[in-house]
Amino acid sequence: MSAPGRTRPQQTEALTPAPVPQPRADRPRPPLSAPAPLLDTTLDQLRTLVAVHATGTALAAARLLDREQSSVQKQLDTLNRNFREMCGEPLVVKQGRGRDVLFTGTGRTLVDMAHTTLGDWAQRIRDCRSRVDGTLTVGTTRYTLSLMADACADIADELARRGVELKVEHVRTRNFLERLRAKEIDLVCGSVVTRVGADATPGDCEVMELARGDLYLLTNLPADRVPDGPVPVGALPSLPLAVPRSGLIADFLRTWFGPAYRDNLTIAAEIDAVPFGLELLSSRLPMYGCMLVTEGIGRAVREGRIPGGTALRVLPVVDDRGPGHAVEHAVGIFVRKGERERVGPDHPLNLLWDALARRIPRADRVAATAVR
């Protein structure tokens, strides 16, 4: 027994600290000690930096990336601030209005690293995606959706029997080949600008051509300003135009008037889609001008198959730059070169390709040789 008034001391187990988890020997140690500004740098910021380096200015990079100049400039300012803190100098230095920015030594080094980083990520994503055999991803535009939908319906039962998931994504002309090359999509319907009569197939792609066509001009201007009949390309700079920032029409203008085509044209309005342009020219706003569209859309407007354009005159555009310079657009189904042979004839990609080939003779239901 214990003596009165005294408490037996409690025996306690010795406390040992919990072991600190260690990375496996076959795994790299995580960069937990990296500077916070470095860890805050995003892939999108790196892409913006590469775009500025490629184009020279924040404005040109914004047009390339299809975003606002203020967004690009904000990312540049953030990168400058963070890398000045880490490295002692900014990445880019402004040279004055209208002049290309100057990349410092640190900036040039980071651009090289950004190319490597983005390339490595893209390749790893492609490798991961190539291991997934149960998905077929196709891209289409608004104007070729009916053709793609019919072909997909033709093989839907077979895909379901195999357990293959079909994904359909909306694509735009400005980046459909880029997305195909990056293996974000397996097959895509798109349109490219090409010389009249020349092969429209990019070197790294295989194409099943659907149609070719020229451009048309939609206008609410009177006939004394724009006479009825073909409109020569050489007359376009004198006309007030509603133009998109990117896409097929921009590719035509760039081919006709060079990279700085916007400086050579009278741009009355910026548009991002055909329906908006039609509404703009047909609205009660005091907006008088013209809009370039593909031949398929021009015919559809003339025949009243597209709402909003009944009050507009539809005129063909002719390339008057001389023999050997005329261009047109070619619409086709694009896949990566060699992909169909690699996967075999019974692969879902080839099933869809064959279904599209069977439907091409009935492709007149496609409103357009027109891809936005």
Side-chain angles (χ1 to χ4, degrees):
M1 294 181 63
S2 300
R6 299 181 62 185
T7 303
R8 176 182 293 176
Q10 294 182 348
Q11 294 188 1
T12 59
E13 296 182 0
L15 298 178
T16 58
V20 177
Q22 297 294 320
R24 281 172 38 179
D26 60 341
R27 294 178 181 173
R29 182 177 296 274
L32 300 179
S33 60
L38 176 60
L39 297 179
D40 289 339
T41 302
T42 67
L43 295 180
D44 187 52
Q45 289 174 337
L46 295 182
R47 182 181 69 155
T48 296
L49 186 69
V50 169
V52 173
H53 185 263
T55 61
T57 66
L59 176 60
R63 290 175 177 169
L64 177 66
L65 299 174
D66 193 24
R67 59 175 55 173
E68 296 296 327
Q69 180 183 0
S70 58
S71 172
V72 171
Q73 190 59 56
K74 183 177 180 181
Q75 288 188 323
L76 276 183
D77 293 342
T78 299
L79 288 169
N80 266 348
R81 182 173 60 253
N82 289 344
F83 280 86
R84 182 186 290 111
E85 176 183 338
M86 291 186 291
C87 304
E89 70 174 349
L91 303 182
V92 298
V93 178
K94 292 182 179 180
Q95 294 292 291
R97 186 177 181 85
R99 298 179 60 189
D100 289 356
V101 297
L102 173 68
F103 274 74
T104 64
T106 301
R108 292 191 296 272
T109 298
L110 192 64
V111 167
D112 292 339
M113 293 171 61
H115 276 290
T116 300
T117 299
L118 294 172
D120 287 348
W121 269 86
Q123 184 60 52
R124 293 298 179 91
I125 294 298
R126 288 193 292 267
D127 292 343
C128 291
R129 191 174 184 278
S130 67
R131 292 194 294 267
V132 181
D133 297 325
T135 302
L136 179 65
T137 304
V138 301
T140 182
T141 68
R142 175 183 178 185
Y143 298 103
T144 55
L145 176 59
S146 61
L147 174 66
M148 188 69 74
D150 287 345
C152 289
D154 291 344
I155 64 171
D157 291 343
E158 178 62 18
L159 295 183
R161 187 185 67 81
R162 298 188 188 188
V164 175
E165 180 185 6
L166 177 66
K167 294 184 177 180
V168 180
E169 298 189 8
H170 180 213
V171 297
R172 296 291 185 94
T173 301
R174 60 174 172 255
N175 66 350
F176 81 92
L177 285 178
E178 176 185 335
R179 296 189 61 191
L180 180 68
R181 289 162 178 153
K183 298 187 178 180
E184 296 177 9
I185 46 183
D186 301 305
L187 176 149
V188 62
C189 185
S191 186
V192 294
V193 177
T194 183
R195 299 281 183 190
V196 172
D199 185 2
T201 307
D204 56 352
C205 295
E206 177 184 358
V207 62
M208 182 195 313
E209 194 167 308
L210 303 181
R212 291 198 176 209
D214 300 313
L215 293 192
Y216 272 58
L217 190 78
L218 307 183
T219 183
N220 58 7
L221 290 169
D224 60 350
R225 178 72 188 277
V226 183
D228 289 330
V231 178
V233 168
L236 295 180
S238 64
L239 300 177
L241 297 175
V243 299
R245 289 184 175 274
S246 59
L248 185 68
I249 302 303
D251 289 343
F252 265 97
L253 295 174
R254 192 175 294 109
T255 301
W256 286 334
F257 303 109
Y261 67 89
R262 300 176 69 89
D263 297 334
N264 300 318
L265 300 176
T266 304
I267 298 178
E270 300 275 1
I271 59 174
D272 189 47
V274 169
F276 179 79
L278 291 175
E279 292 181 11
L280 180 63
L281 293 178
S282 303
S283 70
R284 300 178 63 183
L285 289 172
M287 165 63 190
Y288 293 95
C290 312
M291 179 174 69
L292 292 166
V293 297
T294 54
E295 184 173 341
I297 293 180
R299 294 181 184 275
V301 170
R302 175 181 289 168
E303 297 166 7
R305 291 186 282 116
I306 295 182
T310 55
L312 303 177
R313 290 189 298 135
V314 182
L315 308 174
V317 175
V318 293
D319 196 336
D320 58 345
R321 297 178 304 149
H325 296 283
V327 292
E328 60 188 352
H329 70 98
V331 185
I333 307 296
F334 294 79
V335 296
R336 291 178 292 275
K337 188 173 184 178
E339 189 82 357
R340 294 199 309 113
E341 291 76 10
R342 185 183 68 82
V343 298
D346 62 342
H347 189 276
L349 176 63
N350 278 315
L351 293 182
L352 181 56
W353 180 273
D354 293 340
L356 286 162
R358 289 191 296 269
R359 285 191 170 272
I360 283 181
R362 300 195 297 274
D364 55 321
R365 290 174 297 165
V366 180
T369 46
V371 178
R372 292 166 55 201

